[in-house]
Amino acid sequence: VQLQASGGGLVQAGDSLRLSCTASGRTFSMYRLGWFRQVPGKGREFVAGISTGGNTTPYAEPVNGRFTISRDNAKNMVYLQMNSLKPEDTAVYYCAAGAPALTISAYSKEENYNTWGQGTLVTVSS
Protein backbone atom coordinates (compact mmCIF):
# COMPACT_ATOMS: atom_id res chain seq x y z
CA VAL A 1 0.00 0.00 0.00
CA GLN A 2 1.13 3.57 -0.72
CA LEU A 3 -0.14 6.56 1.20
CA GLN A 4 -0.54 10.24 0.41
CA ALA A 5 -1.65 12.78 2.99
CA SER A 6 -3.32 16.10 2.27
CA GLY A 7 -5.40 18.80 3.87
CA GLY A 8 -2.85 20.73 5.87
CA GLY A 9 -2.78 24.49 6.00
CA LEU A 10 -2.64 27.63 8.08
CA VAL A 11 -5.47 28.14 10.55
CA GLN A 12 -6.12 30.12 13.69
CA ALA A 13 -6.37 28.74 17.18
CA GLY A 14 -9.82 27.31 17.79
CA ASP A 15 -10.38 26.46 14.13
CA SER A 16 -10.96 23.02 12.67
CA LEU A 17 -9.16 21.18 9.91
CA ARG A 18 -9.58 17.75 8.35
CA LEU A 19 -6.62 15.82 7.07
CA SER A 20 -7.07 13.09 4.50
CA CYS A 21 -4.84 10.22 3.52
CA THR A 22 -5.52 8.29 0.37
CA ALA A 23 -4.08 4.86 -0.20
CA SER A 24 -3.40 2.81 -3.26
CA GLY A 25 -3.64 -0.97 -3.28
CA ARG A 26 -6.41 -3.49 -2.92
CA THR A 27 -5.52 -4.57 0.59
CA PHE A 28 -6.17 -1.24 2.34
CA SER A 29 -8.77 -2.74 4.66
CA MET A 30 -6.22 -5.20 6.03
CA TYR A 31 -4.02 -2.46 7.49
CA ARG A 32 -4.03 -0.75 10.84
CA LEU A 33 -3.62 2.98 10.26
CA GLY A 34 -2.23 5.82 12.26
CA TRP A 35 -1.51 9.52 12.27
CA PHE A 36 1.74 10.87 13.68
CA ARG A 37 3.13 14.38 13.81
CA GLN A 38 6.57 15.91 13.97
CA VAL A 39 7.95 19.33 14.80
CA PRO A 40 11.47 20.41 13.82
CA GLY A 41 14.10 18.98 16.11
CA LYS A 42 11.84 16.34 17.62
CA GLY A 43 10.91 12.80 16.79
CA ARG A 44 7.56 11.71 15.44
CA GLU A 45 4.74 11.75 17.96
CA PHE A 46 1.76 9.43 17.88
CA VAL A 47 -1.55 11.23 17.39
CA ALA A 48 -4.23 8.62 16.69
CA GLY A 49 -4.70 5.12 15.37
CA ILE A 50 -7.52 3.05 13.94
CA SER A 51 -7.98 -0.68 13.58
CA THR A 52 -8.81 -2.43 10.33
CA GLY A 53 -12.54 -2.32 10.98
CA GLY A 54 -12.52 1.05 12.70
CA ASN A 55 -13.68 -0.26 16.07
CA THR A 56 -10.50 0.59 17.95
CA THR A 57 -9.29 4.20 17.93
CA PRO A 58 -6.66 5.09 20.50
CA TYR A 59 -5.59 8.72 20.83
CA ALA A 60 -2.66 10.52 22.34
CA GLU A 61 -3.60 12.40 25.47
CA PRO A 62 -2.92 15.91 24.05
CA VAL A 63 -5.51 15.42 21.29
CA ASN A 64 -8.05 13.19 23.01
CA GLY A 65 -11.47 14.76 22.80
CA ARG A 66 -10.44 17.21 20.07
CA PHE A 67 -9.32 14.95 17.22
CA THR A 68 -11.22 12.12 15.57
CA ILE A 69 -9.74 9.47 13.33
CA SER A 70 -11.93 7.59 10.87
CA ARG A 71 -11.54 5.44 7.81
CA ASP A 72 -13.55 4.54 4.74
CA ASN A 73 -12.33 1.20 3.48
CA ALA A 74 -14.51 1.42 0.37
CA LYS A 75 -12.70 4.60 -0.66
CA ASN A 76 -9.25 3.66 0.65
CA MET A 77 -9.23 6.77 2.81
CA VAL A 78 -8.33 7.62 6.37
CA TYR A 79 -9.17 10.96 7.95
CA LEU A 80 -8.15 13.03 10.92
CA GLN A 81 -10.73 15.59 11.99
CA MET A 82 -9.01 18.18 14.15
CA ASN A 83 -11.16 20.54 16.20
CA SER A 84 -10.27 23.27 18.69
CA LEU A 85 -6.80 23.50 17.26
CA LYS A 86 -4.04 24.95 19.41
CA PRO A 87 -0.69 26.48 18.44
CA GLU A 88 1.01 23.43 19.94
CA ASP A 89 -0.70 21.28 17.31
CA THR A 90 1.54 22.89 14.70
CA ALA A 91 3.53 20.11 13.04
CA VAL A 92 3.96 18.05 9.94
CA TYR A 93 1.37 15.29 10.05
CA TYR A 94 2.00 11.85 8.61
CA CYS A 95 -0.31 8.93 7.94
CA ALA A 96 1.04 5.43 8.33
CA ALA A 97 -0.02 1.83 7.82
CA GLY A 98 0.94 -1.37 9.54
CA ALA A 99 -0.17 -4.89 10.25
CA PRO A 100 -3.13 -5.39 12.58
CA ALA A 101 -2.15 -4.84 16.21
CA LEU A 102 -2.75 -7.24 19.05
CA THR A 103 -2.47 -4.59 21.74
CA ILE A 104 -3.52 -0.99 22.14
CA SER A 105 0.02 -0.02 22.99
CA ALA A 106 1.20 -1.16 19.58
CA TYR A 107 -0.66 1.68 17.87
CA SER A 108 1.57 4.37 19.35
CA LYS A 109 4.90 2.84 18.35
CA GLU A 110 6.49 4.10 15.17
CA GLU A 111 8.26 0.82 14.56
CA ASN A 112 4.93 -0.97 14.20
CA TYR A 113 4.16 0.92 10.99
CA ASN A 114 5.98 -0.05 7.82
CA THR A 115 4.45 2.32 5.28
CA TRP A 116 4.43 6.10 5.57
CA GLY A 117 2.94 8.84 3.46
CA GLN A 118 4.59 12.16 2.85
CA GLY A 119 3.74 14.74 5.47
CA THR A 120 1.28 17.59 5.33
CA LEU A 121 2.01 20.75 7.27
CA VAL A 122 -0.47 22.11 9.77
CA THR A 123 0.23 25.55 11.19
CA VAL A 124 -1.96 26.96 13.95
CA SER A 125 -1.52 30.64 14.72
CA SER A 126 -2.42 32.13 18.07
Side-chain angles (χ1 to χ4, degrees):
V1 67
Q2 292 183 322
L3 305 172
Q4 184 170 354
S6 63
L10 172 63
V11 297
Q12 293 186 333
D15 286 350
S16 297
L17 200 61
R18 188 176 82 156
L19 304 183
S20 299
C21 179
T22 185
S24 62
R26 297 181 179 182
T27 59
F28 176 80
S29 63
M30 297 173 61
Y31 288 89
R32 167 178 50 90
L33 303 167
W35 285 96
F36 286 72
R37 65 188 182 186
Q38 186 173 26
V39 298
K42 294 188 176 181
R44 281 176 180 165
E45 173 190 33
F46 171 73
V47 176
I50 188 166
S51 59
T52 55
N55 295 325
T56 300
T57 53
Y59 294 91
E61 190 279 332
V63 309
N64 195 24
R66 299 188 297 122
F67 291 10
T68 302
I69 188 172
S70 61
R71 68 188 294 165
D72 186 335
N73 286 341
K75 296 181 178 179
N76 280 16
M77 297 288 293
V78 59
Y79 306 98
L80 185 68
Q81 177 67 43
M82 304 185 294
N83 298 330
S84 302
L85 282 161
K86 304 175 180 180
E88 51 263 44
D89 294 319
T90 295
V92 177
Y93 284 72
Y94 299 88
C95 56
L102 297 179
T103 62
I104 293 292
S105 63
Y107 283 83
S108 62
K109 298 186 170 105
E110 230 183 303
E111 60 267 28
N112 289 335
Y113 296 83
N114 51 25
T115 301
W116 294 81
Q118 94 292 353
T120 185
L121 176 62
V122 173
T123 304
V124 185
S125 64
S126 57

